[in-house]
Amino acid sequence: MPFELPQLDYPHDALEPHIDQKTMEIHHGKHHAGYTAKLNAAIEGTDHSDKSINELMSSLDMSNGAIRNNGGGFYNHSLFWKVMSPNGGGLPSGSLANAIDRDFGSFDSFKDAFSKAAATQFGSGWAWLCVLDGGKLEVCSTPNQDNPLMPGVACGGTPILGIDVWEHAYYLNYQNRRPDYIEAFFKVVNWDQVQENYDQ
Ligand code: MN3
């Protein structure tokens, strides 16, 4: 079964003014669609074609650039759209809030660590909040379309929140002001979804 570009749960303009409509249209309709099509082309007729995206990521041969870049792009963006919502922002609650307090000291300390990881990722990449084996939370970042599920990436665990810091994610609205984009991202984080990811 080929992978399909997931539909957004909200209209392209729903995250305005934090994430602008044009960026959402191009990012989802062109970039994510492109990764999806190229991933399908890369696995067609191979023994990877019946794997789930998670299996594909965790068993990846990192020297396979086509699957690494396009499979990563498919997985990363599929997570990214879900962890944003026009009803997002605010603070996590429940067991996730407790785990953040336990592992970072406070929500503000977590936010600082996550924002710093996102701001200091040199060039293109992602920052993540991950759950390690045993349940501990960790913040880290990866270059390009790598993600923590991939073998040997210096960033482990299962991502439950991620921010895309490629310029295509923010340049139309924020130009070189990546920190402003990161601050805006927190106004649309869908903490209910992050909690669901954490529970899983
Ligand atoms: Mn992107």
Side-chain angles (χ1 to χ4, degrees):
M1 273 292 280
F3 291 104
E4 281 181 31
L5 178 68
Q7 292 303 301
L8 298 176
D9 295 330
Y10 41 81
H12 289 116
D13 63 356
L15 303 180
E16 296 256 11
H18 309 297
I19 313 282
D20 64 285
Q21 177 177 356
K22 190 80 183 164
T23 294
M24 287 299 297
E25 287 172 357
I26 297 170
H27 201 177
H28 178 255
K30 302 291 185 193
H31 290 277
H32 196 185
Y35 296 124
T36 307
K38 287 177 188 165
L39 171 62
N40 286 330
I43 61 174
E44 193 184 353
T46 73
D47 58 0
H48 300 301
S49 59
D50 56 352
K51 290 180 180 165
S52 72
I53 189 64
N54 289 59
E55 288 169 341
L56 198 55
M57 295 292 93
S58 57
S59 66
L60 182 65
D61 168 3
M62 295 294 273
S63 69
N64 187 327
I67 298 183
R68 180 177 180 175
N69 293 330
N70 296 299
F74 177 81
Y75 173 89
N76 298 348
H77 291 86
S78 299
L79 177 82
F80 185 53
W81 311 132
K82 297 291 276 185
V83 297
M84 297 189 290
S85 163
N87 305 314
L91 298 169
S93 59
S95 57
L96 176 61
N98 292 338
I100 286 173
D101 287 345
R102 180 194 66 206
D103 294 334
F104 298 97
S106 66
F107 178 80
D108 286 345
S109 298
F110 151 72
K111 188 181 170 189
D112 285 349
F114 185 89
S115 299
K116 190 176 172 203
T120 59
Q121 170 58 44
F122 183 74
S124 298
W126 293 75
W128 307 100
L129 174 64
C130 296
V131 185
L132 302 178
D133 287 345
K136 189 176 189 298
L137 297 176
E138 185 175 83
V139 160
C140 61
S141 63
T142 52
N144 304 314
Q145 296 295 358
D146 286 357
N147 65 53
L149 296 182
M150 294 177 178
V153 168
C155 184
T158 303
I160 61 173
L161 174 69
I163 181 173
D164 187 345
V165 295
W166 284 56
E167 285 186 347
H168 69 224
Y170 62 88
Y171 215 83
L172 288 180
N173 201 20
Y174 296 96
Q175 294 84 48
N176 61 327
R177 303 189 312 278
R178 190 192 285 189
D180 291 354
Y181 158 67
I182 297 165
E183 187 63 32
F185 172 75
F186 274 95
K187 298 199 168 71
V188 295
V189 171
N190 181 355
W191 287 110
D192 291 341
Q193 180 65 51
V194 183
Q195 173 79 56
E196 214 177 297
N197 297 344
Y198 176 68
D199 292 338
Q200 283 170 13

Short mmCIF file of all heavy atoms in Angstrom, two decimals, residues 27 77 126 164 168, ligand 1:
data_model
loop_
_atom_site.label_atom_id
_atom_site.label_comp_id
_atom_site.label_asym_id
_atom_site.label_seq_id
_atom_site.Cartn_x
_atom_site.Cartn_y
_atom_site.Cartn_z
N HIS A 27 3.53 24.21 2.27
CA HIS A 27 4.22 23.24 3.12
C HIS A 27 3.52 21.87 3.06
O HIS A 27 4.16 20.84 2.89
CB HIS A 27 4.25 23.78 4.55
CG HIS A 27 5.30 23.19 5.42
ND1 HIS A 27 5.50 23.61 6.71
CD2 HIS A 27 6.22 22.22 5.19
CE1 HIS A 27 6.49 22.91 7.23
NE2 HIS A 27 6.94 22.06 6.33
N HIS A 77 6.38 15.37 9.04
CA HIS A 77 5.27 16.30 8.77
C HIS A 77 3.93 15.72 9.22
O HIS A 77 3.05 16.46 9.66
CB HIS A 77 5.25 16.70 7.30
CG HIS A 77 6.42 17.56 6.91
ND1 HIS A 77 7.63 17.04 6.53
CD2 HIS A 77 6.57 18.91 6.89
CE1 HIS A 77 8.48 18.03 6.28
NE2 HIS A 77 7.86 19.18 6.48
N TRP A 126 14.79 19.68 12.74
CA TRP A 126 13.64 19.58 13.63
C TRP A 126 14.11 19.58 15.08
O TRP A 126 15.20 19.08 15.39
CB TRP A 126 12.90 18.26 13.37
CG TRP A 126 12.24 18.19 12.03
CD1 TRP A 126 12.86 18.00 10.83
CD2 TRP A 126 10.85 18.33 11.75
NE1 TRP A 126 11.94 18.01 9.82
CE2 TRP A 126 10.70 18.19 10.35
CE3 TRP A 126 9.72 18.53 12.55
CZ2 TRP A 126 9.45 18.28 9.74
CZ3 TRP A 126 8.48 18.60 11.92
CH2 TRP A 126 8.36 18.49 10.54
N ASP A 164 9.18 21.89 12.96
CA ASP A 164 9.95 21.98 11.72
C ASP A 164 10.65 23.33 11.71
O ASP A 164 9.99 24.37 11.77
CB ASP A 164 8.95 21.87 10.55
CG ASP A 164 9.60 21.79 9.20
OD1 ASP A 164 10.81 22.10 9.08
OD2 ASP A 164 8.89 21.43 8.24
N HIS A 168 11.45 26.73 4.94
CA HIS A 168 10.14 26.67 4.26
C HIS A 168 8.98 26.67 5.25
O HIS A 168 7.85 26.92 4.87
CB HIS A 168 10.06 25.48 3.28
CG HIS A 168 10.03 24.12 3.90
ND1 HIS A 168 10.78 23.06 3.42
CD2 HIS A 168 9.34 23.61 4.94
CE1 HIS A 168 10.53 21.98 4.15
NE2 HIS A 168 9.67 22.29 5.07
MN MN3 B 1 8.82 21.02 6.35
#
